[in-house]
Every structure is written in C-alpha cells, then in structure tokens.
Amino acid sequence: MGKLSTHVLDTMHGAPAAGMALRLYRLDGESAQLLKSCSLNQDGRADGPLLEGAQLLPGRYRLLFGVADYFKSLGVQLPDPAFLDQVPLDFGIADASLHYHVPLLASPWSYSTYRGS
C-alpha cells in the first residue's frame, strides 16, 4: 500500500523542526487543491502518513513548509522580508503503490530535499 510522508530537520539548531506548519496540495495545471494542513510533531514529522492507500493517486503534488514562521517562533532574528519564507516542494507520484518520503533539511538561509525511504 502506497503512502506519502515527510520529515523536517532544522539544520541551524541540529534538531527536528517541531511545530513547523505544513500544507499539502494536489496540483492540476495552474490550480492547487489543499488536501491537508498540520503542524509537525516533536520528531519533525506529521503524526501519520500525509496520504495513503486510495487517497494517494498518481499526479503532481506540492508540500508547503512554513520555514520563516518556524524560525521566528524560536526567536531567530530574520530580515524583513525573510530570505526564505514558505518553501514549496513540487514533486510527482508516478506509482501510487510505493512509499514516497519527502524530507526537508532547512535553515533560515538554505534548504535541500531528496526522495527518502
């Protein structure tokens, strides 16, 4: 059974990004349908899969991470406007029977991602 998950690590503090806001969208051309909105738990993860089983369909998706608000909530002094505000990650699901794990490594100044396991 396929599923979609994520994990965010705060590379500035060397810790999971607990409390970071996350939104998941399904993309269809220029339109985006909000599927899920949550805050990440103490491990920097959603409490369960973002999508799984019949909910996970082939197609284009976007994860939107609230990076600036997360760092501001920790007392990090950011410029106005912040260099990184909300970080969008657009990706595709080709085979909905597989596990797609989309981690984010983030600081106020940079981010990276990859398809994890």
PDB file of all heavy atoms in Angstrom, residues 19-51:
ATOM      1  N   GLY A  19       6.764  21.728  15.372  1.00  0.00           N
ATOM      2  CA  GLY A  19       5.862  22.869  15.306  1.00  0.00           C
ATOM      3  C   GLY A  19       5.811  23.571  13.963  1.00  0.00           C
ATOM      4  O   GLY A  19       4.986  24.463  13.771  1.00  0.00           O
ATOM      5  N   MET A  20       6.669  23.190  13.015  1.00  0.00           N
ATOM      6  CA  MET A  20       6.623  23.834  11.698  1.00  0.00           C
ATOM      7  C   MET A  20       5.285  23.538  11.017  1.00  0.00           C
ATOM      8  O   MET A  20       4.805  22.410  11.037  1.00  0.00           O
ATOM      9  CB  MET A  20       7.766  23.360  10.800  1.00  0.00           C
ATOM     10  CG  MET A  20       7.784  24.071   9.444  1.00  0.00           C
ATOM     11  SD  MET A  20       9.131  23.548   8.361  1.00  0.00           S
ATOM     12  CE  MET A  20      10.510  24.381   9.123  1.00  0.00           C
ATOM     13  N   ALA A  21       4.695  24.565  10.415  1.00  0.00           N
ATOM     14  CA  ALA A  21       3.431  24.401   9.678  1.00  0.00           C
ATOM     15  C   ALA A  21       3.712  23.756   8.325  1.00  0.00           C
ATOM     16  O   ALA A  21       4.722  24.040   7.678  1.00  0.00           O
ATOM     17  CB  ALA A  21       2.755  25.748   9.486  1.00  0.00           C
ATOM     18  N   LEU A  22       2.791  22.901   7.918  1.00  0.00           N
ATOM     19  CA  LEU A  22       2.912  22.168   6.657  1.00  0.00           C
ATOM     20  C   LEU A  22       1.551  22.122   5.982  1.00  0.00           C
ATOM     21  O   LEU A  22       0.525  21.902   6.648  1.00  0.00           O
ATOM     22  CB  LEU A  22       3.389  20.739   6.944  1.00  0.00           C
ATOM     23  CG  LEU A  22       3.346  19.752   5.794  1.00  0.00           C
ATOM     24  CD1 LEU A  22       4.431  20.088   4.780  1.00  0.00           C
ATOM     25  CD2 LEU A  22       3.512  18.343   6.301  1.00  0.00           C
ATOM     26  N   ARG A  23       1.547  22.337   4.679  1.00  0.00           N
ATOM     27  CA  ARG A  23       0.327  22.163   3.883  1.00  0.00           C
ATOM     28  C   ARG A  23       0.661  21.286   2.683  1.00  0.00           C
ATOM     29  O   ARG A  23       1.739  21.414   2.089  1.00  0.00           O
ATOM     30  CB  ARG A  23      -0.225  23.504   3.423  1.00  0.00           C
ATOM     31  CG  ARG A  23      -0.800  24.311   4.572  1.00  0.00           C
ATOM     32  CD  ARG A  23      -1.542  25.542   4.107  1.00  0.00           C
ATOM     33  NE  ARG A  23      -0.695  26.389   3.293  1.00  0.00           N
ATOM     34  CZ  ARG A  23      -0.380  27.645   3.564  1.00  0.00           C
ATOM     35  NH1 ARG A  23      -0.859  28.228   4.632  1.00  0.00           N
ATOM     36  NH2 ARG A  23       0.391  28.343   2.768  1.00  0.00           N
ATOM     37  N   LEU A  24      -0.256  20.411   2.325  1.00  0.00           N
ATOM     38  CA  LEU A  24      -0.124  19.521   1.177  1.00  0.00           C
ATOM     39  C   LEU A  24      -1.201  19.865   0.166  1.00  0.00           C
ATOM     40  O   LEU A  24      -2.379  19.956   0.521  1.00  0.00           O
ATOM     41  CB  LEU A  24      -0.264  18.054   1.608  1.00  0.00           C
ATOM     42  CG  LEU A  24      -0.378  17.033   0.481  1.00  0.00           C
ATOM     43  CD1 LEU A  24       0.910  16.956  -0.342  1.00  0.00           C
ATOM     44  CD2 LEU A  24      -0.755  15.670   1.051  1.00  0.00           C
ATOM     45  N   TYR A  25      -0.793  20.037  -1.094  1.00  0.00           N
ATOM     46  CA  TYR A  25      -1.710  20.349  -2.192  1.00  0.00           C
ATOM     47  C   TYR A  25      -1.579  19.308  -3.288  1.00  0.00           C
ATOM     48  O   TYR A  25      -0.493  18.777  -3.521  1.00  0.00           O
ATOM     49  CB  TYR A  25      -1.370  21.707  -2.812  1.00  0.00           C
ATOM     50  CG  TYR A  25      -1.537  22.879  -1.894  1.00  0.00           C
ATOM     51  CD1 TYR A  25      -0.495  23.294  -1.069  1.00  0.00           C
ATOM     52  CD2 TYR A  25      -2.729  23.595  -1.847  1.00  0.00           C
ATOM     53  CE1 TYR A  25      -0.635  24.383  -0.226  1.00  0.00           C
ATOM     54  CE2 TYR A  25      -2.876  24.689  -1.007  1.00  0.00           C
ATOM     55  CZ  TYR A  25      -1.822  25.073  -0.198  1.00  0.00           C
ATOM     56  OH  TYR A  25      -1.969  26.146   0.633  1.00  0.00           O
ATOM     57  N   ARG A  26      -2.673  19.066  -3.988  1.00  0.00           N
ATOM     58  CA  ARG A  26      -2.636  18.313  -5.249  1.00  0.00           C
ATOM     59  C   ARG A  26      -2.693  19.355  -6.350  1.00  0.00           C
ATOM     60  O   ARG A  26      -3.539  20.261  -6.326  1.00  0.00           O
ATOM     61  CB  ARG A  26      -3.812  17.355  -5.368  1.00  0.00           C
ATOM     62  CG  ARG A  26      -3.769  16.560  -6.677  1.00  0.00           C
ATOM     63  CD  ARG A  26      -4.722  15.373  -6.635  1.00  0.00           C
ATOM     64  NE  ARG A  26      -4.863  14.782  -7.936  1.00  0.00           N
ATOM     65  CZ  ARG A  26      -4.035  13.875  -8.451  1.00  0.00           C
ATOM     66  NH1 ARG A  26      -3.020  13.444  -7.748  1.00  0.00           N
ATOM     67  NH2 ARG A  26      -4.234  13.384  -9.651  1.00  0.00           N
ATOM     68  N   LEU A  27      -1.782  19.254  -7.317  1.00  0.00           N
ATOM     69  CA  LEU A  27      -1.692  20.218  -8.405  1.00  0.00           C
ATOM     70  C   LEU A  27      -2.393  19.701  -9.645  1.00  0.00           C
ATOM     71  O   LEU A  27      -2.263  18.528  -9.999  1.00  0.00           O
ATOM     72  CB  LEU A  27      -0.219  20.517  -8.727  1.00  0.00           C
ATOM     73  CG  LEU A  27       0.628  21.020  -7.553  1.00  0.00           C
ATOM     74  CD1 LEU A  27       2.073  21.196  -7.984  1.00  0.00           C
ATOM     75  CD2 LEU A  27       0.064  22.300  -6.983  1.00  0.00           C
ATOM     76  N   ASP A  28      -3.125  20.599 -10.295  1.00  0.00           N
ATOM     77  CA  ASP A  28      -3.802  20.279 -11.556  1.00  0.00           C
ATOM     78  C   ASP A  28      -3.649  21.498 -12.447  1.00  0.00           C
ATOM     79  O   ASP A  28      -4.425  22.456 -12.321  1.00  0.00           O
ATOM     80  CB  ASP A  28      -5.264  19.944 -11.309  1.00  0.00           C
ATOM     81  CG  ASP A  28      -5.985  19.503 -12.573  1.00  0.00           C
ATOM     82  OD1 ASP A  28      -5.309  19.202 -13.581  1.00  0.00           O
ATOM     83  OD2 ASP A  28      -7.226  19.465 -12.550  1.00  0.00           O
ATOM     84  N   GLY A  29      -2.625  21.486 -13.302  1.00  0.00           N
ATOM     85  CA  GLY A  29      -2.342  22.664 -14.122  1.00  0.00           C
ATOM     86  C   GLY A  29      -1.941  23.821 -13.228  1.00  0.00           C
ATOM     87  O   GLY A  29      -1.032  23.709 -12.426  1.00  0.00           O
ATOM     88  N   GLU A  30      -2.654  24.926 -13.331  1.00  0.00           N
ATOM     89  CA  GLU A  30      -2.364  26.117 -12.526  1.00  0.00           C
ATOM     90  C   GLU A  30      -3.108  26.126 -11.189  1.00  0.00           C
ATOM     91  O   GLU A  30      -2.857  26.984 -10.352  1.00  0.00           O
ATOM     92  CB  GLU A  30      -2.729  27.388 -13.319  1.00  0.00           C
ATOM     93  CG  GLU A  30      -1.873  27.603 -14.550  1.00  0.00           C
ATOM     94  CD  GLU A  30      -0.406  27.815 -14.214  1.00  0.00           C
ATOM     95  OE1 GLU A  30      -0.101  28.584 -13.269  1.00  0.00           O
ATOM     96  OE2 GLU A  30       0.443  27.190 -14.868  1.00  0.00           O
ATOM     97  N   SER A  31      -4.009  25.180 -10.985  1.00  0.00           N
ATOM     98  CA  SER A  31      -4.770  25.173  -9.732  1.00  0.00           C
ATOM     99  C   SER A  31      -4.149  24.205  -8.723  1.00  0.00           C
ATOM    100  O   SER A  31      -3.507  23.224  -9.087  1.00  0.00           O
ATOM    101  CB  SER A  31      -6.234  24.812  -9.988  1.00  0.00           C
ATOM    102  OG  SER A  31      -6.341  23.475 -10.405  1.00  0.00           O
ATOM    103  N   ALA A  32      -4.347  24.529  -7.443  1.00  0.00           N
ATOM    104  CA  ALA A  32      -3.832  23.705  -6.350  1.00  0.00           C
ATOM    105  C   ALA A  32      -4.955  23.479  -5.347  1.00  0.00           C
ATOM    106  O   ALA A  32      -5.558  24.419  -4.854  1.00  0.00           O
ATOM    107  CB  ALA A  32      -2.655  24.403  -5.684  1.00  0.00           C
ATOM    108  N   GLN A  33      -5.237  22.220  -5.049  1.00  0.00           N
ATOM    109  CA  GLN A  33      -6.287  21.852  -4.100  1.00  0.00           C
ATOM    110  C   GLN A  33      -5.637  21.452  -2.777  1.00  0.00           C
ATOM    111  O   GLN A  33      -4.824  20.519  -2.728  1.00  0.00           O
ATOM    112  CB  GLN A  33      -7.109  20.683  -4.643  1.00  0.00           C
ATOM    113  CG  GLN A  33      -8.139  20.168  -3.669  1.00  0.00           C
ATOM    114  CD  GLN A  33      -8.780  18.856  -4.131  1.00  0.00           C
ATOM    115  OE1 GLN A  33      -8.386  18.253  -5.114  1.00  0.00           O
ATOM    116  NE2 GLN A  33      -9.781  18.419  -3.383  1.00  0.00           N
ATOM    117  N   LEU A  34      -5.990  22.160  -1.705  1.00  0.00           N
ATOM    118  CA  LEU A  34      -5.456  21.838  -0.388  1.00  0.00           C
ATOM    119  C   LEU A  34      -6.015  20.487   0.076  1.00  0.00           C
ATOM    120  O   LEU A  34      -7.223  20.290   0.117  1.00  0.00           O
ATOM    121  CB  LEU A  34      -5.830  22.934   0.625  1.00  0.00           C
ATOM    122  CG  LEU A  34      -5.347  22.720   2.049  1.00  0.00           C
ATOM    123  CD1 LEU A  34      -3.831  22.713   2.135  1.00  0.00           C
ATOM    124  CD2 LEU A  34      -5.944  23.781   2.966  1.00  0.00           C
ATOM    125  N   LEU A  35      -5.105  19.569   0.409  1.00  0.00           N
ATOM    126  CA  LEU A  35      -5.507  18.244   0.890  1.00  0.00           C
ATOM    127  C   LEU A  35      -5.332  18.089   2.393  1.00  0.00           C
ATOM    128  O   LEU A  35      -6.092  17.378   3.038  1.00  0.00           O
ATOM    129  CB  LEU A  35      -4.692  17.152   0.191  1.00  0.00           C
ATOM    130  CG  LEU A  35      -4.807  17.065  -1.322  1.00  0.00           C
ATOM    131  CD1 LEU A  35      -3.901  15.963  -1.842  1.00  0.00           C
ATOM    132  CD2 LEU A  35      -6.244  16.837  -1.746  1.00  0.00           C
ATOM    133  N   LYS A  36      -4.309  18.739   2.941  1.00  0.00           N
ATOM    134  CA  LYS A  36      -4.017  18.555   4.365  1.00  0.00           C
ATOM    135  C   LYS A  36      -3.217  19.736   4.880  1.00  0.00           C
ATOM    136  O   LYS A  36      -2.395  20.298   4.165  1.00  0.00           O
ATOM    137  CB  LYS A  36      -3.220  17.266   4.569  1.00  0.00           C
ATOM    138  CG  LYS A  36      -3.005  16.890   6.001  1.00  0.00           C
ATOM    139  CD  LYS A  36      -2.458  15.476   6.108  1.00  0.00           C
ATOM    140  CE  LYS A  36      -3.101  14.827   7.311  1.00  0.00           C
ATOM    141  NZ  LYS A  36      -2.973  13.419   7.340  1.00  0.00           N
ATOM    142  N   SER A  37      -3.458  20.080   6.132  1.00  0.00           N
ATOM    143  CA  SER A  37      -2.723  21.135   6.815  1.00  0.00           C
ATOM    144  C   SER A  37      -2.437  20.634   8.226  1.00  0.00           C
ATOM    145  O   SER A  37      -3.322  20.084   8.884  1.00  0.00           O
ATOM    146  CB  SER A  37      -3.578  22.399   6.857  1.00  0.00           C
ATOM    147  OG  SER A  37      -2.902  23.440   7.498  1.00  0.00           O
ATOM    148  N   CYS A  38      -1.198  20.791   8.692  1.00  0.00           N
ATOM    149  CA  CYS A  38      -0.861  20.318  10.035  1.00  0.00           C
ATOM    150  C   CYS A  38       0.392  21.020  10.544  1.00  0.00           C
ATOM    151  O   CYS A  38       1.068  21.733   9.796  1.00  0.00           O
ATOM    152  CB  CYS A  38      -0.658  18.802  10.046  1.00  0.00           C
ATOM    153  SG  CYS A  38       0.766  18.219   9.112  1.00  0.00           S
ATOM    154  N   SER A  39       0.690  20.794  11.806  1.00  0.00           N
ATOM    155  CA  SER A  39       1.953  21.211  12.410  1.00  0.00           C
ATOM    156  C   SER A  39       2.744  19.949  12.696  1.00  0.00           C
ATOM    157  O   SER A  39       2.174  18.933  13.124  1.00  0.00           O
ATOM    158  CB  SER A  39       1.719  21.966  13.710  1.00  0.00           C
ATOM    159  OG  SER A  39       1.125  23.213  13.453  1.00  0.00           O
ATOM    160  N   LEU A  40       4.049  20.004  12.497  1.00  0.00           N
ATOM    161  CA  LEU A  40       4.884  18.829  12.694  1.00  0.00           C
ATOM    162  C   LEU A  40       5.077  18.545  14.178  1.00  0.00           C
ATOM    163  O   LEU A  40       5.143  19.456  15.000  1.00  0.00           O
ATOM    164  CB  LEU A  40       6.234  19.032  12.009  1.00  0.00           C
ATOM    165  CG  LEU A  40       6.145  19.282  10.500  1.00  0.00           C
ATOM    166  CD1 LEU A  40       7.528  19.500   9.917  1.00  0.00           C
ATOM    167  CD2 LEU A  40       5.431  18.135   9.792  1.00  0.00           C
ATOM    168  N   ASN A  41       5.164  17.265  14.520  1.00  0.00           N
ATOM    169  CA  ASN A  41       5.288  16.844  15.911  1.00  0.00           C
ATOM    170  C   ASN A  41       6.725  17.015  16.422  1.00  0.00           C
ATOM    171  O   ASN A  41       7.585  17.550  15.730  1.00  0.00           O
ATOM    172  CB  ASN A  41       4.756  15.417  16.092  1.00  0.00           C
ATOM    173  CG  ASN A  41       5.570  14.383  15.325  1.00  0.00           C
ATOM    174  OD1 ASN A  41       6.747  14.586  14.994  1.00  0.00           O
ATOM    175  ND2 ASN A  41       4.941  13.255  15.051  1.00  0.00           N
ATOM    176  N   GLN A  42       6.994  16.538  17.624  1.00  0.00           N
ATOM    177  CA  GLN A  42       8.306  16.714  18.267  1.00  0.00           C
ATOM    178  C   GLN A  42       9.443  16.053  17.496  1.00  0.00           C
ATOM    179  O   GLN A  42      10.604  16.410  17.673  1.00  0.00           O
ATOM    180  CB  GLN A  42       8.266  16.177  19.702  1.00  0.00           C
ATOM    181  CG  GLN A  42       7.387  16.984  20.633  1.00  0.00           C
ATOM    182  CD  GLN A  42       7.840  18.434  20.738  1.00  0.00           C
ATOM    183  OE1 GLN A  42       9.006  18.731  20.938  1.00  0.00           O
ATOM    184  NE2 GLN A  42       6.905  19.361  20.557  1.00  0.00           N
ATOM    185  N   ASP A  43       9.110  15.099  16.628  1.00  0.00           N
ATOM    186  CA  ASP A  43      10.115  14.427  15.803  1.00  0.00           C
ATOM    187  C   ASP A  43      10.259  15.096  14.437  1.00  0.00           C
ATOM    188  O   ASP A  43      10.985  14.598  13.577  1.00  0.00           O
ATOM    189  CB  ASP A  43       9.740  12.951  15.651  1.00  0.00           C
ATOM    190  CG  ASP A  43      10.871  12.104  15.111  1.00  0.00           C
ATOM    191  OD1 ASP A  43      12.047  12.401  15.405  1.00  0.00           O
ATOM    192  OD2 ASP A  43      10.589  11.146  14.370  1.00  0.00           O
ATOM    193  N   GLY A  44       9.542  16.221  14.212  1.00  0.00           N
ATOM    194  CA  GLY A  44       9.598  16.901  12.923  1.00  0.00           C
ATOM    195  C   GLY A  44       8.820  16.190  11.831  1.00  0.00           C
ATOM    196  O   GLY A  44       9.081  16.378  10.646  1.00  0.00           O
ATOM    197  N   ARG A  45       7.850  15.398  12.222  1.00  0.00           N
ATOM    198  CA  ARG A  45       7.032  14.624  11.271  1.00  0.00           C
ATOM    199  C   ARG A  45       5.548  14.921  11.488  1.00  0.00           C
ATOM    200  O   ARG A  45       5.151  15.350  12.573  1.00  0.00           O
ATOM    201  CB  ARG A  45       7.247  13.122  11.475  1.00  0.00           C
ATOM    202  CG  ARG A  45       8.681  12.672  11.302  1.00  0.00           C
ATOM    203  CD  ARG A  45       8.836  11.195  11.678  1.00  0.00           C
ATOM    204  NE  ARG A  45      10.223  10.786  11.687  1.00  0.00           N
ATOM    205  CZ  ARG A  45      10.870  10.274  10.643  1.00  0.00           C
ATOM    206  NH1 ARG A  45      10.240  10.114   9.499  1.00  0.00           N
ATOM    207  NH2 ARG A  45      12.129   9.926  10.748  1.00  0.00           N
ATOM    208  N   ALA A  46       4.753  14.619  10.467  1.00  0.00           N
ATOM    209  CA  ALA A  46       3.301  14.601  10.663  1.00  0.00           C
ATOM    210  C   ALA A  46       2.990  13.395  11.544  1.00  0.00           C
ATOM    211  O   ALA A  46       3.780  12.440  11.610  1.00  0.00           O
ATOM    212  CB  ALA A  46       2.593  14.502   9.321  1.00  0.00           C
ATOM    213  N   ASP A  47       1.865  13.409  12.229  1.00  0.00           N
ATOM    214  CA  ASP A  47       1.525  12.310  13.140  1.00  0.00           C
ATOM    215  C   ASP A  47       1.234  10.993  12.431  1.00  0.00           C
ATOM    216  O   ASP A  47       1.225   9.944  13.061  1.00  0.00           O
ATOM    217  CB  ASP A  47       0.347  12.696  14.032  1.00  0.00           C
ATOM    218  CG  ASP A  47       0.763  13.692  15.109  1.00  0.00           C
ATOM    219  OD1 ASP A  47       1.933  13.660  15.541  1.00  0.00           O
ATOM    220  OD2 ASP A  47      -0.088  14.508  15.513  1.00  0.00           O
ATOM    221  N   GLY A  48       1.016  11.041  11.139  1.00  0.00           N
ATOM    222  CA  GLY A  48       0.786   9.838  10.347  1.00  0.00           C
ATOM    223  C   GLY A  48       1.093  10.152   8.902  1.00  0.00           C
ATOM    224  O   GLY A  48       1.529  11.263   8.585  1.00  0.00           O
ATOM    225  N   PRO A  49       0.874   9.190   8.023  1.00  0.00           N
ATOM    226  CA  PRO A  49       1.105   9.475   6.601  1.00  0.00           C
ATOM    227  C   PRO A  49       0.262  10.663   6.139  1.00  0.00           C
ATOM    228  O   PRO A  49      -0.868  10.851   6.591  1.00  0.00           O
ATOM    229  CB  PRO A  49       0.664   8.194   5.902  1.00  0.00           C
ATOM    230  CG  PRO A  49       0.759   7.135   6.952  1.00  0.00           C
ATOM    231  CD  PRO A  49       0.431   7.824   8.248  1.00  0.00           C
ATOM    232  N   LEU A  50       0.827  11.464   5.253  1.00  0.00           N
ATOM    233  CA  LEU A  50       0.074  12.590   4.686  1.00  0.00           C
ATOM    234  C   LEU A  50      -1.029  12.079   3.766  1.00  0.00           C
ATOM    235  O   LEU A  50      -2.116  12.636   3.726  1.00  0.00           O
ATOM    236  CB  LEU A  50       1.017  13.524   3.936  1.00  0.00           C
ATOM    237  CG  LEU A  50       2.105  14.170   4.795  1.00  0.00           C
ATOM    238  CD1 LEU A  50       3.096  14.927   3.922  1.00  0.00           C
ATOM    239  CD2 LEU A  50       1.485  15.086   5.836  1.00  0.00           C
ATOM    240  N   LEU A  51      -0.724  11.052   3.030  1.00  0.00           N
ATOM    241  CA  LEU A  51      -1.698  10.338   2.198  1.00  0.00           C
ATOM    242  C   LEU A  51      -1.318   8.868   2.231  1.00  0.00           C
ATOM    243  O   LEU A  51      -0.130   8.529   2.327  1.00  0.00           O
ATOM    244  CB  LEU A  51      -1.655  10.820   0.741  1.00  0.00           C
ATOM    245  CG  LEU A  51      -2.065  12.256   0.442  1.00  0.00           C
ATOM    246  CD1 LEU A  51      -1.792  12.579  -1.024  1.00  0.00           C
ATOM    247  CD2 LEU A  51      -3.523  12.488   0.773  1.00  0.00           C
TER     248      LEU A  51
END
